[in-house]
Amino acid sequence: VQNDTLKEGQLNITQQVYTNIVLSHLRELWTNYGNLEEICFAPGTLDVIAKMLAELQPHANVFGGSDVTANSIRWIGNELGHAPDPTWSTGTSADGGDPNSPIFCPAECDTTLQVFDRWFWGPHTLLRPLRDLIDVYHRTVGRNCLLMLDLTPDRSGIIPSEYANRYKELGDFIRSCYGSSVRPSIQNSSVDFLTYMLVFNAPVSVDRSVIQEDQTRGQVIRAYTITALIAITKDQSEWTEVATGTSIGNKKIDLWKKGTLLIRAVKLNITKTVDVPGLKSFTVHLCA
């Protein structure tokens, strides 16, 4: 509470009065609306709020709550919608994380629909173009980060139609590009779970791949390469490298550096790991 800048009509209250109002509001919000998926903690959160969290919303994911709950997620360090590559699922610093940290604390990338990092609605404010939002999706979700794209109601409490249309355009792209994959005729893995291969009956066009790691026992994959059998080439047995990376985590999207390729097979090679790796999925797509 800062009482040295009061305007006419503003009430002069103590810090304790303000704190009591906050605690009353939080108890109402955390009690009357079911289980909350995510709660954001600011630096310097009061101990009494942390105790209330444990009492009323113990299963909520807490943004910035690594010191108060095991269900913490961390800030990525910017509000641009750009996560570093790599971004690890462990560590508590506001950056790409630390693969050697014992603390599982996935990253969240918060960013705006409006330009110039504007969070609140304003008249005549420009929206970020669809191509920028697609880039944001690949730099966040595609880099093992949870994308939190703001929702901005106007002064009537309604999401303006042009805003809703832009959200839908992004959703339409995600569904069209990643809603289904180029299906292989054969898929298998090596006995040591270090190689996963997709084989196609006929040549298919592909320009990207999606890997999802099973993090039930933590994030264990440290490096990988993706190679493909090109359909039209002098050496039909030569595997061509199309992508490399380190962190996979919840999801890693690789836009192939060689662009769209006509292939007969594709292989994920896990080249470094700290435990027996597990995959939720490995798929390829054509979105160009």
Side-chain angles (χ1 to χ4, degrees):
V1 171
Q2 297 177 359
N3 290 333
D4 55 349
T5 58
L6 292 175
K7 305 295 184 182
E8 183 179 353
Q10 289 185 324
L11 184 64
N12 189 354
I13 64 172
T14 65
Q15 183 67 49
Q16 188 58 54
V17 169
Y18 174 78
T19 299
N20 291 341
I21 293 172
V22 170
L23 294 177
S24 177
H25 285 180
L26 286 179
R27 182 164 290 277
E28 175 188 342
L29 291 170
W30 292 359
T31 301
N32 296 345
Y33 300 94
N35 293 327
L36 302 181
E37 294 294 334
E38 181 177 339
I39 296 172
C40 180
F41 271 29
T45 299
L46 299 177
D47 289 343
V48 66
I49 295 180
K51 292 178 181 178
M52 191 184 299
L53 173 76
E55 174 193 353
L56 302 176
Q57 294 288 340
H59 301 297
N61 297 297
V62 180
F63 184 83
S66 60
D67 56 343
V68 298
T69 176
N71 307 327
S72 181
I73 51 182
R74 72 178 192 275
W75 189 39
I76 204 63
N78 67 73
E79 295 183 344
L80 302 174
H82 296 168
D85 187 11
T87 291
W88 301 95
S89 299
T90 50
T92 59
S93 54
D95 51 27
D98 178 3
N100 299 313
S101 171
I103 302 175
F104 191 83
C105 187
E108 178 176 273
C109 297
D110 54 327
T111 193
T112 63
L113 183 71
Q114 300 174 120
V115 298
F116 306 130
D117 196 30
R118 184 185 178 101
W119 286 90
F120 295 97
W121 177 87
H124 314 300
T125 302
L126 297 176
L127 304 182
R128 296 167 79 171
L130 177 61
R131 65 178 179 275
D132 285 3
L133 295 176
I134 292 173
D135 182 60
V136 163
Y137 182 82
H138 288 134
R139 290 186 181 219
T140 56
V141 176
R143 293 181 178 177
N144 187 35
C145 195
L146 172 67
L147 171 60
M148 196 277 279
L149 183 60
D150 79 314
L151 198 64
T152 310
D154 61 21
R155 290 171 184 165
S156 70
I158 294 175
I159 302 298
S161 59
E162 61 269 29
Y163 289 55
N165 289 338
R166 187 56 44 83
Y167 290 124
K168 185 178 184 302
E169 288 173 352
L170 177 59
D172 287 344
F173 166 78
I174 296 169
R175 284 183 289 271
S176 66
C177 186
Y178 299 109
S180 60
S181 62
V182 180
R183 294 296 182 89
S185 54
I186 300 173
Q187 54 184 358
N188 55 46
S189 63
S190 60
V191 175
D192 57 7
F193 302 107
L194 295 179
T195 303
Y196 294 80
M197 185 162 62
L198 309 178
V199 181
F200 305 93
N201 280 333
V204 295
S205 294
V206 170
D207 70 347
R208 67 196 65 199
S209 51
V210 180
I211 318 169
Q212 287 193 276
E213 185 176 353
D214 183 350
Q215 299 185 99
T216 304
R217 297 190 300 167
Q219 185 179 13
V220 304
I221 297 173
R222 294 293 183 266
Y224 68 90
T225 65
I226 298 175
T227 53
L229 275 180
I230 309 300
I232 304 176
T233 182
K234 291 181 179 179
D235 186 352
Q236 293 289 306
S237 63
E238 180 183 0
W239 290 88
T240 300
E241 185 177 276
V242 294
T244 62
T246 52
S247 172
I248 296 175
N250 181 63
K251 183 174 290 185
K252 180 64 188 301
I253 299 175
D254 285 303
L255 308 183
W256 288 3
K257 51 192 175 185
K258 294 182 179 294
T260 302
L261 298 174
L262 190 65
I263 66 171
R264 295 184 291 114
V266 61
K267 185 163 53 177
L268 168 64
N269 313 284
I270 299 173
T271 57
K272 185 178 181 181
T273 178
V274 295
D275 203 340
V276 178
L279 284 193
K280 292 171 65 177
S281 68
F282 172 50
T283 56
V284 292
H285 304 256
L286 178 64
C287 308

